[in-house]
Amino acid sequence: MPAAEQQLRRRKVTSDAEIEEDEKAEVVELLANQSSSSKWSSFKTRLISTILMLGGFGTILYLGHVFVWFLVLAIQVCMCHELFKLAQHTRAEKKLPGFRFLQWYFFVVASFYFHIRFVNTNLWIELSSDRRLARSFGWLLKSHMLVSYLLYIGGFLMFVASLKKNMYMYQFGQYAWTHMILLVILMQSSFFVANIFDGLWWFLMPTLLVILNDIMAYVSGFFFGRTPLTSLSPKKTWEGFIGAFFCTMIGGFFLARFLAQYKWMTCPRTDLSVGRLDCDVASVYIPERYNIEDVISGFPEPLTNFILKASPFEYLMIADIQFHALVLSAFASIIAPFGGFFASGFKRAFKIKDFGDSIPGHGGLTDRMDCQIVIASFANIYYNTMVKTSLATVAGIVQTVESLPSEMRLEVFIALGNMLVGDGILKDSDLPNVPKLARP
C-alpha cells in the first residue's frame, strides 16, 4: 500500500481531551500585556506594510474600474494558490502527474462563469460597437452558461479518467477541497466584480469599512485590550471589538458622504472603457436638508430645548447613502469579523499561524481577505435589494435585443429608425434603406 494512503488511514480524530490539553498548553499573550519593544516592533511592521498596500490599492483605484477588476482576479489567484498549497501532499502528487493542473482548470472555469456573469452587459456594449467583435464573440456571451457547464463537465471527465488505484482517497479529498475553495472563496469574492461596475462606491466603501474596523480593533486592543473575545482568535479582545464598532460606525457615516461627492465613485460603468466617467448622480448620493428641530421633535421637551441650545447648527445636510453606510458599518463591525474567526478556526485545525507570508506583519492574502469576502456578497445583495433603482440602460437594451430572433431584431431596428426620424434626430436621407414599420 502506498505511503500516502497508509498515512491517511492512520489519521485519527483528535479526542476532546486532547483538544483541551492543546488549548491549555497554548498560551497567547494579549497585545496590551506584551513588552513595549515587542509590541511596538510588531506595530511598526504592520503599519509600514499597511501604508504600502493602501498606496498600491489607491493607484489601481485611480486607474479605473477595469484595473480594479483585474486586481480582484489577481487576489483570487493568490488566495486559491495559498489554499491549494495548504492541502498539498508532495509525495502523493509525484505519483499523480497533471493532478495539480485539474485544480487550476476548475479555477479557470469557475472564474469564467462568475466573472463573465457579472460583466455580461458591459461586454455586450463593447461587442455591439464593432461588427467583427459581435460576429466573433457574440455567440460566446449568448451561450455563456452552456459553455461554462460544458467546460466543467470536461474537467469532471478528466478527473474520473485520472483516478488511480490506491490513490482514490487522496484524489477525492483534493476534489472536494478544490470545490470547497471555489464555493467559499471564489464565488463570494466574485461579488466584488459586480460591486465595481455598479459604482466604485459599492466596492470601495465596504472594503474601507473592513479595513477601518480591523485597524481600530487592533489599536483599541493594543492600548486597552484585557478581555479575550474568542478562543478561535485569542489575541482578539472585547475592548478591541467594541471600540472598533463605534469607530467604524462614526467613520463610515462621514466617509460615505466624502466618497459620494465624486462621480468617479458613484457613476456605474456600463462598458469596459477606462476613460472619464459622467452620469446623472442618483438621488441617494445627493445631500438633503434636515432641520434639527424637526429631527428631535419627538424627544421630551427638556431634552429638545437642551439640544437646540447646545447645537451650533440649525440644520444638517445628510445624504441617504450615509444611512445605508451605517448598515454596512454595522455589518463590517459585527458580522464580517466572523469571517476572520472562521479563518482562525480553519488555521487552528491545520495547526498553522498564517495562510502565507506574502504581507509582512499580516500573513498571506487570505489572512487579509477573510472578512472582505463576507462583506462583498452582502454589499451586492443589499445594493440590489435596498438601493438600486430599475432603470433602462443601453447595455441592458442591447442584451435584450441580442436575445431576440433575427426578424424581431430587424423590426426593432426599423422602429427605432422611424422614431429617430420622427423626433428630428435623423433625416430620411440618413436612413435611405430603412422602410416604415408595417403595422397590422
Side-chain angles (χ1 to χ4, degrees), residues 102-162:
L102 270 178
Q103 282 191 314
W104 287 108
Y105 175 85
F106 282 119
F107 171 84
V108 171
V109 171
S111 297
F112 173 77
Y113 173 73
F114 288 118
H115 284 250
I116 300 301
R117 178 175 178 269
F118 286 128
V119 299
N120 198 289
T121 54
N122 305 75
L123 286 171
W124 273 119
I125 286 292
E126 295 298 327
L127 294 183
S128 62
S129 64
D130 186 277
R131 293 181 181 178
R132 293 181 180 178
L133 287 175
R135 187 180 301 112
S136 302
F137 299 102
W139 67 271
L140 183 60
L141 291 185
K142 191 184 300 184
S143 309
H144 167 246
M145 184 170 290
L146 177 61
V147 172
S148 300
Y149 176 76
L150 292 177
L151 289 173
Y152 175 80
I153 289 298
F156 172 76
L157 295 178
M158 285 190 287
F159 170 75
V160 174
S162 71

Side-chain angles (χ1 to χ4, degrees), residues 6-23:
Q6 286 182 358
Q7 183 177 1
L8 288 171
R9 288 178 179 273
R10 289 171 184 170
R11 288 180 181 173
K12 298 178 181 179
V13 178
T14 306
S15 65
D16 293 339
E18 289 174 324
I19 293 175
E20 290 180 4
E21 288 179 4
D22 287 345
E23 290 180 347

Side-chain angles (χ1 to χ4, degrees), residues 80-97:
C80 287
H81 171 70
E82 291 176 352
L83 293 171
F84 286 160
K85 190 176 179 180
L86 190 62
Q88 184 176 354
H89 194 292
T90 305
R91 183 180 299 178
E93 294 192 10
K94 285 182 179 179
K95 301 179 181 180
L96 298 170

Side-chain angles (χ1 to χ4, degrees), residues 224-433:
F224 310 110
R226 291 292 184 274
T227 311
L229 177 62
T230 172
S231 60
L232 290 174
S233 188
K235 288 189 177 181
K236 303 287 186 181
T237 63
W238 275 105
E239 291 81 1
F241 185 80
I242 296 172
F245 171 80
F246 286 107
C247 291
T248 305
M249 294 293 289
I250 296 171
F253 184 80
F254 292 102
L255 181 61
R257 171 74 179 278
F258 173 76
L259 295 179
Q261 63 183 316
Y262 301 105
K263 288 187 176 182
W264 188 250
M265 292 285 113
T266 59
C267 291
R269 174 69 76 179
T270 58
D271 55 17
L272 296 179
S273 62
V274 294
R276 183 174 177 270
L277 190 60
D278 193 16
C279 68
D280 294 329
V281 179
S283 59
V284 70
Y285 301 109
I286 301 175
E288 297 179 2
R289 175 171 173 152
Y290 288 84
N291 293 320
I292 293 181
E293 187 173 0
D294 295 335
V295 173
I296 63 175
S297 58
F299 291 5
E301 185 174 351
L303 180 59
T304 300
N305 293 333
F306 173 79
I307 293 176
L308 290 175
K309 290 180 180 179
S311 175
F313 309 104
E314 295 182 1
Y315 64 89
L316 297 173
M317 298 297 293
I318 303 175
D320 287 345
I321 196 65
Q322 292 178 263
F323 298 115
H324 294 299
L326 290 177
V327 177
L328 293 176
S329 299
F331 189 94
S333 302
I334 301 174
I335 307 300
F338 279 81
F341 301 152
F342 176 87
S344 296
F346 201 84
K347 288 183 286 188
R348 287 169 69 85
F350 279 85
K351 300 187 183 301
I352 58 174
K353 181 180 180 182
D354 297 309
F355 287 106
D357 55 1
S358 55
I359 309 174
H362 294 272
L365 270 172
T366 308
D367 295 285
R368 290 299 90 208
M369 296 297 296
D370 47 17
C371 301
Q372 294 286 0
I373 60 176
V374 176
I375 201 172
S377 53
F378 173 75
N380 182 262
I381 294 170
Y382 182 83
Y383 169 77
N384 284 283
T385 304
M386 305 299 296
V387 180
K388 185 178 181 179
T389 55
S390 180
L391 296 175
T393 63
V394 173
I397 293 173
V398 169
Q399 190 175 10
T400 300
V401 171
E402 181 62 29
S403 65
L404 298 174
S406 300
E407 296 80 6
M408 295 184 69
R409 275 188 270 175
L410 182 59
E411 287 186 22
V412 172
F413 176 69
I414 294 171
L416 184 59
N418 292 337
M419 287 173 56
L420 294 175
V421 171
D423 292 339
I425 299 174
L426 295 177
K427 299 178 181 179
D428 285 326
S429 58
D430 295 327
L431 299 170
N433 297 321

